[in-house]
Amino acid sequence: MKNLCLLFFLFFTVTLFSQNILKGKISNKDNVPLDGVNIYLDGTTISTISDDNGNFAIKYEPNANNIVVISSMGYQTEYLTGLDVSKPLNVVMTVSENELKEVVITKNELFTRAQKLKLFREYFLGKTANGKSSIIQNESDLQFKYDKDNLVFTATSNKPLTIVNAFLGYKIDFELVVFEIAFNKLSINSKDVIKNFYGGVSKFEEIDNSAATLERREKTFQGSQIQFFRNFAKKEWGIKKFILLNDDQSVDPLKRFTIIEEEDYVKVEILPQPKGEVKNDNLKDVVASYNIAYNRHEESKITFQTDSFYIYKYGNNSNIESILFSGKISEKKVGDMLPLNYGIK
């Protein structure tokens, strides 16, 4: 009877675990299995590759709102969401067209490639200690364009950028989808930047987990955007965490937001901000705007251009394009980026 109970427990445990495993097969249009294809959850260390028969299995939580990225050289990258782990996934990859972009050399270019690389590093990796220590191993794959009429600087790459962050012990493969910097005049100086934005998908690989590296990771996590939203979801506010401010006056978050807890995420409803408090800084459709401070001194500003949003398990949210940060948090870019699953078992 004792052995029977043990076997039942083991079977029950395996069954529960398998419920969070996404299985599938990858092939080409001729139904030939593809091996060595990268499958990963965007922004995490959770990844795998397909075997000789094109099969794979990866940890996947449907309600964590993660993007499953399927990538292989010579094929178009697939981005999948809302998958059902109870059903095997069959992916047919499409051969990518040759999209090598012609490099046009224009006479009398105002800015050198060295100047453009410097600007890109500042606004992609960041100017913090972590950002400055990070290295893009394939910078030669970057292509830049400066639209002099609209004063917009853009960057693209035909290949994922390989970033080595020695301080935090990660190698990151970052597929750059968009990178833009807008200026208030014809310039490449950061003091003339009025807006910047970048986006893409990323895969993290741990390359160092020494005690010193783990300590630097935890220090980087403190006061980060991930920590902010995780605390927000749990209603954890306070002097040694984050406090919500109108100018310099502390306000009660529970009177400014309604948090509705679901099984795997929370819904946040933003209550109307008292008249006269909102300072929109020429932004459109501002619902609410507050200052936030971490551990009393790290000050940032958060602006909501939406009246509701969702926060998921890892601290990612549903409205990244309409929740805007400035100040300390906004200074932390890819060089300070931790995997979304950092600190979560």
Side-chain angles (χ1 to χ4, degrees):
M1 178 63 69
K2 183 177 180 180
N3 288 338
L4 181 61
C5 291
L6 178 60
L7 286 172
F8 175 78
F9 174 75
L10 289 174
F11 175 77
F12 184 67
T13 302
V14 170
T15 301
L16 285 180
F17 179 74
S18 67
Q19 289 176 351
N20 290 326
I21 299 297
L22 176 69
K23 296 181 179 181
K25 183 173 183 177
I26 302 174
S27 58
N28 64 17
K29 65 181 181 63
D30 297 318
N31 203 31
V32 176
L34 297 177
D35 64 333
V37 176
N38 288 295
I39 304 101
Y40 61 92
L41 269 59
D42 174 35
T44 74
T45 56
I46 302 170
S47 66
T48 188
I49 60 174
S50 58
D51 63 19
D52 293 342
N53 297 312
N55 296 317
F56 72 90
I58 189 170
K59 181 181 177 182
Y60 177 71
E61 298 181 60
N63 293 320
N65 199 39
N66 281 121
I67 298 172
V68 175
V69 183
I70 301 177
S71 174
S72 182
M73 189 68 70
Y75 291 90
Q76 293 181 13
T77 302
E78 301 287 338
Y79 309 96
L80 307 174
T81 58
L83 302 174
D84 185 350
V85 294
S86 68
K87 299 177 181 178
L89 180 67
N90 289 308
V91 179
V92 178
M93 301 199 71
T94 303
V95 175
S96 61
E97 297 178 2
N98 188 355
E99 296 180 349
L100 291 178
K101 298 177 182 177
E102 181 182 1
V103 178
V104 179
I105 300 176
T106 305
K107 292 182 179 180
N108 302 319
E109 273 282 351
L110 290 175
F111 311 114
T112 66
R113 181 170 175 84
Q115 289 176 304
K116 295 172 183 176
L117 274 171
K118 180 177 181 294
L119 181 72
F120 180 81
R121 293 185 195 120
E122 286 181 6
Y123 284 90
F124 182 69
L125 297 176
K127 294 182 279 189
T128 65
N130 289 336
K132 291 178 179 179
S133 71
S134 299
I135 297 172
I136 302 173
Q137 292 188 324
N138 57 330
E139 284 186 337
S140 60
D141 290 321
L142 282 164
Q143 298 179 34
F144 303 120
K145 180 179 178 182
Y146 199 120
D147 183 339
K148 298 173 185 176
D149 295 327
N150 295 303
L151 306 177
V152 175
F153 173 85
T154 58
T156 58
S157 176
N158 291 314
K159 299 178 182 177
L161 299 177
T162 300
I163 303 153
V164 175
N165 188 333
F167 265 32
L168 298 181
Y170 292 113
K171 180 170 82 75
I172 308 169
D173 289 328
F174 195 104
E175 185 174 325
L176 190 66
V177 174
V178 60
F179 180 94
E180 292 185 1
I181 299 177
F183 292 86
N184 59 15
K185 65 179 183 180
L186 189 59
S187 169
I188 203 164
N189 196 314
S190 59
K191 69 181 179 63
D192 299 314
V193 171
I194 55 175
K195 183 174 65 174
N196 71 284
F197 176 77
Y198 66 86
V201 293
S202 56
K203 179 180 72 171
F204 283 75
E205 178 185 343
E206 188 175 65
I207 57 175
D208 178 22
N209 62 357
S210 64
T213 299
L214 295 180
E215 185 177 345
R216 286 193 291 268
R217 287 180 192 170
E218 184 59 27
K219 184 177 179 180
T220 299
F221 174 74
Q222 301 300 320
S224 67
Q225 192 173 142
I226 294 177
Q227 188 193 36
F228 173 77
F229 282 113
R230 288 183 188 177
N231 287 9
F232 200 139
K234 296 176 183 177
K235 305 179 186 177
E236 293 181 352
W237 302 83
I239 294 296
K240 293 186 178 181
K241 296 179 180 179
F242 289 91
I243 56 175
L244 194 71
L245 303 163
N246 172 48
D247 290 331
D248 294 326
Q249 300 298 314
S250 176
V251 296
D252 184 357
L254 300 182
K255 294 181 180 179
R256 302 302 176 103
F257 309 104
T258 298
I259 295 182
I260 304 168
E261 297 183 13
E262 303 290 346
E263 184 177 355
D264 296 296
Y265 56 86
V266 302
K267 180 180 180 181
V268 179
E269 295 179 349
I270 301 161
L271 301 177
Q273 193 168 1
K275 189 175 181 180
E277 276 193 10
V278 180
K279 301 177 180 63
N280 61 25
D281 295 332
N282 298 318
L283 293 172
K284 296 180 180 180
D285 305 319
V286 174
V287 175
S289 181
Y290 296 102
N291 294 328
I292 53 176
Y294 174 73
N295 201 16
R296 300 189 181 196
H297 65 280
E298 293 187 11
E299 296 187 1
S300 305
K301 182 178 181 179
I302 185 168
T303 300
F304 299 95
Q305 293 177 303
T306 178
D307 57 9
S308 65
F309 64 99
Y310 297 90
I311 303 175
Y312 303 98
K313 177 177 179 177
Y314 295 142
N316 50 327
N317 69 78
S318 61
N319 292 66
I320 57 173
E321 75 288 345
S322 53
I323 301 176
L324 311 177
F325 286 95
S326 60
K328 193 69 176 180
I329 285 183
S330 68
E331 295 174 6
K332 299 178 179 181
K333 302 188 185 300
V334 172
D336 288 280
M337 195 166 68
L338 292 165
L340 279 174
N341 59 321
Y342 173 80
I344 294 180
K345 302 299 184 182

Short mmCIF file of all heavy atoms in Angstrom, two decimals, residues 117-159:
data_model
loop_
_atom_site.label_atom_id
_atom_site.label_comp_id
_atom_site.label_asym_id
_atom_site.label_seq_id
_atom_site.Cartn_x
_atom_site.Cartn_y
_atom_site.Cartn_z
N LEU A 117 26.79 55.14 -33.76
CA LEU A 117 26.94 54.02 -32.83
C LEU A 117 26.90 54.49 -31.39
O LEU A 117 26.30 53.85 -30.52
CB LEU A 117 28.25 53.28 -33.11
CG LEU A 117 28.22 52.20 -34.19
CD1 LEU A 117 29.63 51.71 -34.50
CD2 LEU A 117 27.33 51.03 -33.77
N LYS A 118 27.55 55.60 -31.11
CA LYS A 118 27.57 56.14 -29.75
C LYS A 118 26.15 56.47 -29.29
O LYS A 118 25.74 56.13 -28.17
CB LYS A 118 28.44 57.39 -29.69
CG LYS A 118 28.53 58.05 -28.31
CD LYS A 118 29.47 59.24 -28.34
CE LYS A 118 29.60 59.89 -26.96
NZ LYS A 118 28.32 60.51 -26.53
N LEU A 119 25.38 57.10 -30.18
CA LEU A 119 24.00 57.44 -29.85
C LEU A 119 23.17 56.18 -29.63
O LEU A 119 22.39 56.09 -28.68
CB LEU A 119 23.39 58.28 -30.98
CG LEU A 119 21.95 58.73 -30.76
CD1 LEU A 119 21.88 59.82 -29.71
CD2 LEU A 119 21.34 59.24 -32.08
N PHE A 120 23.34 55.20 -30.51
CA PHE A 120 22.58 53.95 -30.38
C PHE A 120 22.88 53.26 -29.06
O PHE A 120 21.97 52.81 -28.36
CB PHE A 120 22.90 53.01 -31.54
CG PHE A 120 22.15 51.70 -31.48
CD1 PHE A 120 20.84 51.61 -31.91
CD2 PHE A 120 22.75 50.56 -30.95
CE1 PHE A 120 20.13 50.42 -31.83
CE2 PHE A 120 22.06 49.37 -30.88
CZ PHE A 120 20.74 49.29 -31.31
N ARG A 121 24.16 53.17 -28.70
CA ARG A 121 24.53 52.53 -27.43
C ARG A 121 23.88 53.23 -26.25
O ARG A 121 23.40 52.60 -25.31
CB ARG A 121 26.05 52.52 -27.26
CG ARG A 121 26.80 51.64 -28.26
CD ARG A 121 28.27 51.62 -27.93
NE ARG A 121 29.09 51.10 -29.03
CZ ARG A 121 30.06 51.78 -29.64
NH1 ARG A 121 30.33 53.02 -29.26
NH2 ARG A 121 30.74 51.22 -30.61
N GLU A 122 23.87 54.56 -26.26
CA GLU A 122 23.30 55.32 -25.15
C GLU A 122 21.82 55.02 -24.96
O GLU A 122 21.35 54.88 -23.82
CB GLU A 122 23.48 56.82 -25.40
CG GLU A 122 24.90 57.32 -25.21
CD GLU A 122 25.01 58.83 -25.44
OE1 GLU A 122 23.94 59.47 -25.64
OE2 GLU A 122 26.13 59.35 -25.43
N TYR A 123 21.08 54.93 -26.07
CA TYR A 123 19.62 54.80 -25.97
C TYR A 123 19.13 53.36 -26.10
O TYR A 123 17.94 53.10 -25.91
CB TYR A 123 18.94 55.70 -27.00
CG TYR A 123 18.97 57.15 -26.56
CD1 TYR A 123 20.03 57.97 -26.92
CD2 TYR A 123 17.97 57.67 -25.74
CE1 TYR A 123 20.10 59.29 -26.48
CE2 TYR A 123 18.02 58.98 -25.30
CZ TYR A 123 19.08 59.78 -25.68
OH TYR A 123 19.13 61.08 -25.24
N PHE A 124 20.03 52.44 -26.37
CA PHE A 124 19.66 51.02 -26.42
C PHE A 124 20.22 50.29 -25.20
O PHE A 124 19.47 49.64 -24.45
CB PHE A 124 20.16 50.38 -27.70
CG PHE A 124 19.77 48.93 -27.84
CD1 PHE A 124 18.45 48.56 -28.04
CD2 PHE A 124 20.73 47.93 -27.78
CE1 PHE A 124 18.08 47.23 -28.16
CE2 PHE A 124 20.38 46.59 -27.91
CZ PHE A 124 19.05 46.25 -28.10
N LEU A 125 21.51 50.40 -24.97
CA LEU A 125 22.13 49.75 -23.81
C LEU A 125 21.95 50.58 -22.54
O LEU A 125 21.82 50.05 -21.45
CB LEU A 125 23.61 49.52 -24.06
CG LEU A 125 23.96 48.57 -25.21
CD1 LEU A 125 25.47 48.51 -25.40
CD2 LEU A 125 23.41 47.17 -24.98
N GLY A 126 21.97 51.90 -22.68
CA GLY A 126 21.83 52.78 -21.53
C GLY A 126 23.16 53.34 -21.07
O GLY A 126 24.24 52.86 -21.46
N LYS A 127 23.09 54.36 -20.21
CA LYS A 127 24.29 55.04 -19.73
C LYS A 127 24.62 54.70 -18.28
O LYS A 127 25.48 55.33 -17.67
CB LYS A 127 24.12 56.55 -19.90
CG LYS A 127 24.04 56.98 -21.36
CD LYS A 127 23.92 58.48 -21.53
CE LYS A 127 22.49 58.93 -21.32
NZ LYS A 127 22.30 60.37 -21.69
N THR A 128 23.93 53.71 -17.72
CA THR A 128 24.25 53.26 -16.36
C THR A 128 25.52 52.41 -16.40
O THR A 128 26.05 52.09 -17.46
CB THR A 128 23.09 52.43 -15.79
OG1 THR A 128 22.96 51.23 -16.57
CG2 THR A 128 21.78 53.21 -15.82
N ALA A 129 26.00 52.01 -15.22
CA ALA A 129 27.20 51.15 -15.15
C ALA A 129 26.97 49.84 -15.88
O ALA A 129 27.84 49.35 -16.61
CB ALA A 129 27.57 50.89 -13.69
N ASN A 130 25.77 49.26 -15.72
CA ASN A 130 25.44 48.01 -16.43
C ASN A 130 25.41 48.23 -17.93
O ASN A 130 25.88 47.40 -18.71
CB ASN A 130 24.09 47.47 -15.96
CG ASN A 130 24.14 46.91 -14.55
OD1 ASN A 130 25.19 46.52 -14.07
ND2 ASN A 130 23.00 46.88 -13.89
N GLY A 131 24.82 49.35 -18.35
CA GLY A 131 24.73 49.64 -19.77
C GLY A 131 26.09 49.85 -20.41
O GLY A 131 26.36 49.33 -21.50
N LYS A 132 26.94 50.59 -19.74
CA LYS A 132 28.26 50.88 -20.28
C LYS A 132 29.15 49.63 -20.34
O LYS A 132 30.07 49.57 -21.15
CB LYS A 132 28.94 51.97 -19.45
CG LYS A 132 28.29 53.34 -19.61
CD LYS A 132 28.98 54.37 -18.72
CE LYS A 132 28.34 55.75 -18.88
NZ LYS A 132 28.97 56.75 -18.01
N SER A 133 28.88 48.66 -19.48
CA SER A 133 29.70 47.44 -19.46
C SER A 133 29.21 46.41 -20.48
O SER A 133 29.91 45.44 -20.77
CB SER A 133 29.70 46.82 -18.06
OG SER A 133 28.43 46.25 -17.77
N SER A 134 28.01 46.62 -21.03
CA SER A 134 27.45 45.67 -21.99
C SER A 134 28.06 45.89 -23.37
O SER A 134 28.32 47.02 -23.77
CB SER A 134 25.93 45.82 -22.06
OG SER A 134 25.33 45.56 -20.80
N ILE A 135 28.24 44.80 -24.10
CA ILE A 135 28.88 44.86 -25.42
C ILE A 135 27.99 44.19 -26.45
O ILE A 135 27.50 43.07 -26.24
CB ILE A 135 30.26 44.17 -25.39
CG1 ILE A 135 31.21 44.90 -24.43
CG2 ILE A 135 30.86 44.12 -26.79
CD1 ILE A 135 32.52 44.17 -24.21
N ILE A 136 27.77 44.88 -27.57
CA ILE A 136 27.07 44.28 -28.71
C ILE A 136 28.14 43.66 -29.60
O ILE A 136 28.97 44.35 -30.17
CB ILE A 136 26.27 45.32 -29.49
CG1 ILE A 136 25.26 46.02 -28.58
CG2 ILE A 136 25.54 44.67 -30.67
CD1 ILE A 136 24.55 47.19 -29.23
N GLN A 137 28.12 42.35 -29.71
CA GLN A 137 29.20 41.66 -30.41
C GLN A 137 29.13 41.81 -31.93
O GLN A 137 30.15 41.64 -32.62
CB GLN A 137 29.20 40.17 -30.03
CG GLN A 137 29.58 39.91 -28.58
CD GLN A 137 29.75 38.44 -28.28
OE1 GLN A 137 29.02 37.60 -28.81
NE2 GLN A 137 30.71 38.12 -27.43
N ASN A 138 27.97 42.11 -32.46
CA ASN A 138 27.84 42.21 -33.92
C ASN A 138 27.32 43.59 -34.33
O ASN A 138 26.35 43.71 -35.08
CB ASN A 138 26.93 41.10 -34.46
CG ASN A 138 25.55 41.10 -33.83
OD1 ASN A 138 25.37 41.48 -32.68
ND2 ASN A 138 24.56 40.66 -34.59
N GLU A 139 27.96 44.62 -33.86
CA GLU A 139 27.55 45.99 -34.21
C GLU A 139 27.60 46.25 -35.71
O GLU A 139 26.89 47.12 -36.21
CB GLU A 139 28.44 47.00 -33.48
CG GLU A 139 28.12 47.17 -32.01
CD GLU A 139 28.91 48.28 -31.36
OE1 GLU A 139 29.99 48.63 -31.88
OE2 GLU A 139 28.46 48.79 -30.31
N SER A 140 28.42 45.48 -36.43
CA SER A 140 28.52 45.68 -37.87
C SER A 140 27.22 45.36 -38.60
O SER A 140 27.00 45.78 -39.74
CB SER A 140 29.65 44.82 -38.45
OG SER A 140 29.40 43.44 -38.21
N ASP A 141 26.31 44.61 -37.95
CA ASP A 141 25.02 44.29 -38.56
C ASP A 141 24.01 45.43 -38.45
O ASP A 141 22.95 45.39 -39.08
CB ASP A 141 24.43 43.03 -37.92
CG ASP A 141 25.19 41.77 -38.29
OD1 ASP A 141 25.61 41.68 -39.46
OD2 ASP A 141 25.38 40.90 -37.43
N LEU A 142 24.33 46.43 -37.64
CA LEU A 142 23.43 47.56 -37.46
C LEU A 142 23.48 48.50 -38.66
O LEU A 142 24.56 48.79 -39.20
CB LEU A 142 23.80 48.35 -36.20
CG LEU A 142 23.37 47.75 -34.86
CD1 LEU A 142 24.12 48.40 -33.72
CD2 LEU A 142 21.86 47.92 -34.67
N GLN A 143 22.31 48.95 -39.08
CA GLN A 143 22.21 49.95 -40.14
C GLN A 143 21.42 51.14 -39.62
O GLN A 143 20.41 50.97 -38.93
CB GLN A 143 21.54 49.34 -41.38
CG GLN A 143 22.33 48.18 -41.96
CD GLN A 143 21.64 47.57 -43.17
OE1 GLN A 143 20.99 48.26 -43.94
NE2 GLN A 143 21.77 46.27 -43.32
N PHE A 144 21.89 52.33 -39.94
CA PHE A 144 21.29 53.55 -39.41
C PHE A 144 20.75 54.43 -40.53
O PHE A 144 21.28 54.44 -41.66
CB PHE A 144 22.33 54.35 -38.61
CG PHE A 144 22.96 53.58 -37.48
CD1 PHE A 144 24.33 53.38 -37.45
CD2 PHE A 144 22.19 53.06 -36.45
CE1 PHE A 144 24.92 52.67 -36.42
CE2 PHE A 144 22.76 52.36 -35.42
CZ PHE A 144 24.14 52.16 -35.41
N LYS A 145 19.72 55.18 -40.18
CA LYS A 145 19.16 56.15 -41.12
C LYS A 145 18.76 57.39 -40.35
O LYS A 145 18.17 57.29 -39.27
CB LYS A 145 17.94 55.56 -41.84
CG LYS A 145 17.31 56.51 -42.85
CD LYS A 145 16.11 55.86 -43.54
CE LYS A 145 15.45 56.83 -44.51
NZ LYS A 145 14.26 56.24 -45.17
N TYR A 146 19.07 58.54 -40.90
CA TYR A 146 18.68 59.81 -40.28
C TYR A 146 17.78 60.56 -41.27
O TYR A 146 18.22 60.99 -42.33
CB TYR A 146 19.91 60.65 -39.95
CG TYR A 146 19.63 61.74 -38.92
CD1 TYR A 146 20.30 61.77 -37.71
CD2 TYR A 146 18.71 62.75 -39.18
CE1 TYR A 146 20.05 62.76 -36.77
CE2 TYR A 146 18.44 63.74 -38.24
CZ TYR A 146 19.12 63.74 -37.04
OH TYR A 146 18.86 64.72 -36.11
N ASP A 147 16.51 60.68 -40.91
CA ASP A 147 15.54 61.42 -41.72
C ASP A 147 15.67 62.90 -41.35
O ASP A 147 15.16 63.35 -40.33
CB ASP A 147 14.13 60.90 -41.43
CG ASP A 147 13.07 61.56 -42.28
OD1 ASP A 147 13.32 62.67 -42.82
OD2 ASP A 147 11.96 60.99 -42.40
N LYS A 148 16.37 63.64 -42.19
CA LYS A 148 16.66 65.04 -41.88
C LYS A 148 15.42 65.92 -41.95
O LYS A 148 15.36 66.98 -41.32
CB LYS A 148 17.74 65.57 -42.82
CG LYS A 148 19.07 64.84 -42.69
CD LYS A 148 20.04 65.28 -43.76
CE LYS A 148 21.32 64.44 -43.70
NZ LYS A 148 22.26 64.78 -44.80
N ASP A 149 14.42 65.50 -42.73
CA ASP A 149 13.19 66.29 -42.85
C ASP A 149 12.35 66.21 -41.58
O ASP A 149 11.79 67.19 -41.11
CB ASP A 149 12.37 65.83 -44.05
CG ASP A 149 13.08 66.10 -45.37
OD1 ASP A 149 13.80 67.12 -45.46
OD2 ASP A 149 12.92 65.28 -46.31
N ASN A 150 12.27 64.98 -41.01
CA ASN A 150 11.45 64.78 -39.82
C ASN A 150 12.26 64.69 -38.53
O ASN A 150 11.71 64.49 -37.45
CB ASN A 150 10.61 63.50 -39.98
CG ASN A 150 9.62 63.62 -41.11
OD1 ASN A 150 8.78 64.52 -41.12
ND2 ASN A 150 9.69 62.72 -42.08
N LEU A 151 13.60 64.81 -38.66
CA LEU A 151 14.50 64.80 -37.50
C LEU A 151 14.37 63.51 -36.69
O LEU A 151 14.29 63.53 -35.46
CB LEU A 151 14.25 66.02 -36.61
CG LEU A 151 14.31 67.38 -37.31
CD1 LEU A 151 13.97 68.50 -36.32
CD2 LEU A 151 15.67 67.61 -37.93
N VAL A 152 14.33 62.38 -37.40
CA VAL A 152 14.18 61.08 -36.75
C VAL A 152 15.34 60.16 -37.14
O VAL A 152 15.63 59.99 -38.33
CB VAL A 152 12.84 60.42 -37.12
CG1 VAL A 152 12.75 59.01 -36.54
CG2 VAL A 152 11.67 61.26 -36.62
N PHE A 153 15.96 59.58 -36.13
CA PHE A 153 17.06 58.64 -36.31
C PHE A 153 16.53 57.23 -36.07
O PHE A 153 15.85 56.98 -35.06
CB PHE A 153 18.18 58.96 -35.31
CG PHE A 153 19.30 57.97 -35.26
CD1 PHE A 153 20.36 58.05 -36.15
CD2 PHE A 153 19.31 56.96 -34.31
CE1 PHE A 153 21.41 57.14 -36.10
CE2 PHE A 153 20.36 56.05 -34.25
CZ PHE A 153 21.41 56.14 -35.15
N THR A 154 16.79 56.29 -36.99
CA THR A 154 16.32 54.92 -36.83
C THR A 154 17.47 53.94 -36.98
O THR A 154 18.48 54.24 -37.63
CB THR A 154 15.23 54.57 -37.86
OG1 THR A 154 15.75 54.76 -39.18
CG2 THR A 154 13.99 55.43 -37.67
N ALA A 155 17.31 52.77 -36.38
CA ALA A 155 18.31 51.70 -36.48
C ALA A 155 17.60 50.40 -36.79
O ALA A 155 16.50 50.13 -36.29
CB ALA A 155 19.09 51.57 -35.18
N THR A 156 18.22 49.58 -37.63
CA THR A 156 17.69 48.26 -37.98
C THR A 156 18.83 47.25 -38.01
O THR A 156 20.01 47.63 -38.06
CB THR A 156 16.99 48.27 -39.35
OG1 THR A 156 17.94 48.71 -40.34
CG2 THR A 156 15.78 49.19 -39.36
N SER A 157 18.48 45.98 -37.98
CA SER A 157 19.48 44.92 -38.11
C SER A 157 18.82 43.71 -38.75
O SER A 157 17.70 43.33 -38.39
CB SER A 157 20.06 44.53 -36.75
OG SER A 157 20.96 43.44 -36.89
N ASN A 158 19.51 43.10 -39.73
CA ASN A 158 18.99 41.90 -40.37
C ASN A 158 19.17 40.65 -39.52
O ASN A 158 18.60 39.61 -39.81
CB ASN A 158 19.70 41.69 -41.72
CG ASN A 158 19.30 42.74 -42.75
OD1 ASN A 158 18.13 43.04 -42.89
ND2 ASN A 158 20.28 43.29 -43.44
N LYS A 159 19.99 40.76 -38.49
CA LYS A 159 20.26 39.63 -37.60
C LYS A 159 20.01 40.04 -36.16
O LYS A 159 20.14 41.21 -35.82
CB LYS A 159 21.71 39.16 -37.76
CG LYS A 159 22.08 38.68 -39.15
CD LYS A 159 23.55 38.29 -39.20
CE LYS A 159 23.96 37.85 -40.61
NZ LYS A 159 25.41 37.53 -40.68
#
